[in-house]
Amino acid sequence: AQSVTQLGSHVSVSEGALVLLRCNYSSSVPPYLFWYVQYPNQGLQLLLKYTTGATLVKGINGFEAEFKKSETSFHLTKPSAHMSDAAEYFCAVILSGNTPLVFGKGTRLSVIA
Amino acid sequence: DTGVSQDPRHKITKRGQNVTFRCDPISEHNRLYWYRQTLGQGPEFLTYFQNEAQLEKSRLLSDRFSAERPKGSFSTLEIQRTEQGDSAMYLCASSNRGSPSGEKLFFGSGTQLSVL
């Protein structure tokens, strides 16, 4: 069973426009949630993570995500897209205890000048 | 901090051959993970170690796959009798926590395997 679902395998936005990448998880208990970014020919980098506490999490490069338990969502946003944001973005989850990090299938973000 | 290193970056092999990949984690990290990523998919968990102990193996890890971390430092992933379906990017990651909850994984750039 898929633990995390990313809606949209490809998202295209104009430079300066809002970025919204969607992620939903399936878990009966609040999981730990992550967003990773993968630039071409580079390793995965952590953008941000939610464990406990404040539900709005700020990450690197101006990205943020909000944990919404009622919607089982952890969508990633950025107010204004930059050309350098073009990359593959992965939502990931740790469901409980010692379970490993499970990734979604990824969303490729394209930024149009 | 030199990051997580993987070697080789690329490997091309013929079906039926054995291959071995190496991962050097960040030096103070006690956990080391192997993932596999195919085109258009997210990384899939294969196995992980805490120090030298292999704590979990995915069902994806068939008998042809074996991983070791003999001294709790670097790790090797061997695939025996490779098949075309083994073609993928093999990713290594490390972390420094006693529990995976909320931990941050540092990833290497991966080893791209092509089985002809």
Side-chain angles (χ1 to χ4, degrees):
Chain A
Q2 187 68 33
S3 304
V4 58
T5 302
Q6 292 185 241
L7 300 177
S9 59
H10 183 209
V11 170
S12 184
V13 300
S14 298
E15 191 174 20
L18 171 71
V19 175
L20 171 60
L21 304 182
R22 300 177 186 273
C23 173
N24 288 88
Y25 66 91
S26 54
S27 174
S28 58
V29 296
Y32 295 103
L33 294 157
F34 306 78
W35 276 98
Y36 278 82
V37 61
Q38 189 174 36
Y39 298 102
N41 300 316
Q42 294 187 29
L44 288 153
Q45 299 174 35
L46 180 67
L47 271 180
L48 48 79
K49 66 178 182 180
Y50 168 79
T51 53
T52 58
T55 56
L56 181 63
V57 181
K58 295 187 183 298
I60 62 172
N61 301 337
F63 284 92
E64 61 182 36
E66 186 171 10
F67 170 61
K68 292 187 176 180
K69 183 179 178 181
S70 61
E71 299 177 7
T72 61
S73 69
F74 191 58
H75 302 331
L76 182 71
T77 61
K78 181 174 180 177
S80 176
H82 192 272
M83 297 297 289
S84 61
D85 295 325
E88 189 88 19
Y89 291 81
F90 295 94
C91 183
V93 61
I94 292 175
L95 292 175
S96 65
N98 286 315
T99 58
L101 193 62
V102 175
F103 286 86
K105 292 187 176 183
T107 298
R108 183 162 58 91
L109 175 66
S110 297
V111 181
I112 303 168
Chain B
D1 178 3
T2 57
V4 178
S5 299
Q6 291 189 246
D7 183 69
R9 290 294 304 273
H10 303 275
K11 179 70 177 178
I12 300 173
T13 190
K14 292 182 179 179
R15 188 175 51 187
Q17 297 294 304
N18 299 344
V19 294
T20 300
F21 310 141
R22 177 181 169 119
C23 172
D24 286 89
I26 294 171
S27 59
E28 66 271 20
H29 283 185
N30 56 9
R31 287 207 166 184
L32 186 148
Y33 298 78
W34 285 100
Y35 283 81
R36 180 173 67 188
Q37 185 177 19
T38 54
L39 199 61
Q41 301 293 317
E44 297 172 302
F45 169 77
L46 293 178
T47 187
Y48 86 93
F49 294 82
Q50 175 142 334
N51 300 315
E52 65 275 9
Q54 189 172 18
L55 296 188
E56 187 170 341
K57 294 169 60 174
S58 164
R59 286 172 294 178
L60 292 175
L61 214 63
S62 76
D63 292 343
R64 298 184 296 105
F65 288 70
S66 62
E68 294 182 342
R69 194 183 183 198
K71 297 182 179 180
S73 57
F74 73 92
S75 175
T76 57
L77 177 67
E78 181 182 17
I79 309 175
Q80 296 182 327
R81 305 180 302 282
T82 52
E83 302 172 356
Q84 289 184 326
D86 297 332
S87 297
M89 176 74 82
Y90 289 83
L91 299 170
C92 178
S94 69
S95 67
N96 187 26
R97 278 187 58 105
S99 141
S101 300
E103 71 175 335
K104 178 179 178 180
L105 270 62
F106 293 79
F107 282 85
S109 296
T111 293
Q112 180 67 53
L113 173 66
S114 298
V115 182
L116 305 179

